[in-house]
Amino acid sequence: MQMPQGNPLLLPYTLQELLARDSVQVELIPEKKGLFLKHVEYEVSSQRFKTSVCRRYNDFVVFHEMLLHRFPYRMVPALPPKRMLGADREFIEGRRRALKRFINLVARHPPFSEDVTLKLFLSFSGPDVQNRLREAAQGVGDEFLNCKLATRAKDFLPADIQTQFAMSRELIRNLYNSFYKLRDRAERIASRAIDNAADLLIFGKELSALGSDMTPLPSWATLHLSTWASLKQAMKGLSVEFAVLADKAAQQGRQEENDVVEKLNLFLDLLQAYKDLCERHEKGVLHKHQRALHKYGLMKRQMMSAAVQNCEPESVEQLESRIVEQENVIQTMELRNYFSLYCLHQETQLVHVYLPLTSHILGAFVNSQIQGHKEMSKVWNDLKPKLSCLFAGPHNALTPPRSPAEDSLCSH
């Protein structure tokens, strides 16, 4: 991991630099039927490594486990859930999108992007990638054992690191709650556009069905006029415009799903990874450190009790040896605790580097709305003159409806 000159605690990256590290595509491969179950496979393509490999969900699971083993004090994004039976297309597509977000967050994370396990996952095309990943991870220890600065992490931390940690955690929690609500509303807006497309398409099809109706009408009902025939021909022609409107609405919905909803999901995945990291810090290294201190206190009390009771020298020596071992454990736990805070400080900075993504998301949403309404407005305006075909000639009372502007002019 490259560090700037000076304080290695500070990250020098911008959002554009992180996004430029790699772009990974995850696409579904047509299903292959096994003996009992169908297996879903993914084609994972890395722009950075110029590779394309075939991966299954379980390969992602092992890769995720190895990342947690190698980087216990970093933001490792969560994987989507595994569904054993009855996985429909919607679930499979949702999981594909989630796996794509996961691998891109990992591929752009500074320490992860330089790790051998990532390169192995994105480029190894052999038959047993899971064992290769385990072997690669077992060959080296975690980041604490391999980072030259790990034992000096305390020297780079601010004096009020615990206060900063608590404030950052509260901020990220609030951000997550707000962006979660934004994502839900964006999903509803995109879903409404797709539903609108379906309604417009059905509306057009019904017009076409009316225009294609060949049921004969008695002459006494039509009074020998061709009004119904003219109306049918006009409605059949209008169905084309409604099909175009449906296509425009569907395009807008899909674009907002990809450019707005998915980016909001990506940011939420990052924020959730930070929340999970904070929980691991408290329940993991901090808890182990406190437990080691408690055990050390018990041993010291046993030592004092043994001295008072004049126990045998061998028992006293064994107790002294255990106390020395426990002191070493405590020292290691303290170093790990400070290194965990060091990593947390950097991961907090990383979240803030991603914050400008919100302007990209809002820009994409605004542009989609402008473009979508502009294109649909043009189709509606092109459709309006064709409505004149639906109205009868001068011998009938029907006349085309006026627009609100025309009504205003007439009243004046």
Side-chain angles (χ1 to χ4, degrees):
M1 181 175 174
Q2 297 177 356
M3 290 291 180
Q5 295 296 324
N7 190 349
L9 185 65
L10 304 179
L11 296 182
Y13 308 107
T14 65
L15 176 62
Q16 293 304 321
E17 288 172 341
L18 290 181
L19 297 179
R21 281 177 170 261
D22 201 356
S23 177
V24 185
Q25 300 300 319
V26 178
E27 300 296 339
L28 284 169
I29 296 175
E31 290 181 348
K32 294 181 180 179
K33 294 184 179 180
L35 187 60
F36 300 106
L37 296 172
K38 295 179 180 179
H39 301 302
V40 178
E41 294 186 328
Y42 306 92
E43 183 181 9
V44 181
S45 306
S46 167
Q47 190 176 73
R48 174 189 174 190
F49 294 108
K50 297 179 174 57
T51 55
S52 182
V53 293
C54 178
R55 294 288 180 260
R56 288 175 56 185
Y57 177 78
N58 286 340
D59 298 332
F60 280 91
V61 172
V62 173
F63 178 54
H64 182 264
E65 290 172 355
M66 296 306 102
L67 281 177
L68 283 172
H69 170 74
R70 290 277 293 115
F71 301 98
Y73 312 125
R74 300 286 182 181
M75 291 186 296
V76 179
L79 285 175
K82 182 175 183 177
R83 189 170 175 178
M84 295 299 295
L85 297 173
D88 54 20
R89 289 184 180 180
E90 185 178 354
F91 172 82
I92 292 172
E93 172 59 16
R95 191 170 68 178
R96 181 198 68 81
R97 287 173 178 263
L99 291 173
K100 181 181 176 182
R101 297 195 302 268
F102 163 80
I103 194 63
N104 275 285
L105 284 173
V106 169
R108 294 163 182 168
H109 190 287
F112 300 166
S113 64
E114 303 303 324
D115 193 65
V116 64
T117 53
L118 175 70
K119 184 177 181 181
L120 192 62
F121 183 80
L122 291 176
S123 60
F124 180 71
S125 57
D128 196 357
V129 66
Q130 295 182 23
N131 280 337
R132 289 294 298 270
L133 286 169
R134 290 190 180 99
E135 290 170 2
Q138 290 171 359
V140 291
D142 66 8
E143 188 183 10
F144 174 78
L145 297 176
N146 290 281
C147 180
K148 295 179 180 179
L149 299 176
T151 56
R152 296 190 294 121
K154 182 181 179 181
D155 300 337
F156 303 106
L157 292 173
D160 60 341
I161 182 62
Q162 295 291 354
T163 303
Q164 289 191 22
F165 168 59
M167 292 173 61
S168 297
R169 190 175 187 181
E170 182 65 21
L171 171 63
I172 300 302
R173 185 185 292 112
N174 293 337
L175 281 173
Y176 181 88
N177 293 336
S178 294
F179 275 92
Y180 188 91
K181 294 174 184 176
L182 285 173
R183 191 278 315 275
D184 280 357
R185 296 300 160 180
E187 273 186 339
R188 292 179 64 179
I189 292 170
S191 178
R192 279 201 297 269
I194 293 172
D195 290 343
N196 186 33
D199 291 339
L200 285 166
L201 189 61
I202 293 172
F203 196 96
K205 286 180 177 179
E206 290 303 322
L207 288 177
S208 180
L210 280 171
S212 302
D213 192 328
M214 302 303 291
T215 306
L217 291 177
S219 59
W220 58 265
T222 61
L223 298 178
H224 304 288
L225 297 176
S226 59
T227 305
W228 179 235
S230 300
L231 284 172
K232 288 200 300 181
Q233 184 177 0
M235 286 189 289
K236 191 171 183 179
L238 290 176
S239 66
V240 176
E241 274 73 18
F242 277 93
V244 175
L245 286 167
D247 184 58
K248 297 294 184 186
Q251 284 181 18
Q252 182 180 345
R254 288 193 296 268
Q255 184 177 352
E256 288 175 0
E257 279 185 343
N258 293 326
D259 296 343
V260 180
V261 177
E262 270 306 290
K263 286 181 180 177
L264 284 170
N265 278 326
L266 179 82
F267 193 54
L268 281 172
D269 288 349
L270 181 73
L271 295 177
Q272 183 62 53
Y274 183 87
K275 291 170 64 180
D276 293 342
L277 175 61
C278 293
E279 193 170 335
R280 284 204 306 275
H281 171 74
E282 288 189 338
K283 293 185 177 180
V285 62
L286 190 60
H287 178 68
K288 288 179 181 177
H289 184 211
Q290 292 171 346
R291 193 168 58 188
L293 287 173
H294 177 68
K295 186 176 180 180
Y296 178 72
L298 290 177
M299 287 182 177
K300 290 289 285 184
R301 285 195 292 272
Q302 288 178 4
M303 183 71 177
M304 292 174 64
S305 176
V308 171
Q309 295 176 6
N310 295 322
C311 293
E312 295 181 6
E314 283 188 19
S315 300
V316 175
E317 286 179 5
Q318 289 176 359
L319 197 54
E320 287 178 344
S321 175
R322 287 172 56 198
I323 288 175
V324 170
E325 288 177 6
Q326 191 62 21
E327 286 174 345
N328 292 333
V329 169
I330 290 172
Q331 185 179 12
T332 302
M333 285 293 102
E334 284 180 348
L335 292 174
R336 281 190 173 271
N337 182 43
Y338 284 120
F339 184 66
S340 177
L341 288 169
Y342 175 94
C343 293
L344 260 170
H345 200 284
Q346 289 189 330
E347 299 301 276
T348 305
Q349 294 175 61
L350 202 58
V351 170
H352 285 270
V353 172
Y354 268 95
L355 275 175
L357 188 65
T358 56
S359 62
H360 295 226
I361 296 169
L362 290 173
F365 178 61
V366 171
N367 289 337
S368 172
Q369 288 290 318
I370 292 172
Q371 187 67 22
H373 284 86
K374 182 179 178 181
E375 291 181 358
M376 292 189 72
S377 177
K378 184 180 183 304
V379 179
W380 283 117
N381 284 324
D382 291 344
L383 182 148
K384 185 178 178 181
K386 299 180 181 181
L387 293 177
S388 59
C389 301
L390 292 172
F391 300 96
H395 298 293
N396 294 279
L398 292 175
T399 56
R402 291 192 296 265
S403 66
E406 290 171 335
D407 287 337
S408 177
L409 287 172
C410 288
S411 65
H412 286 299

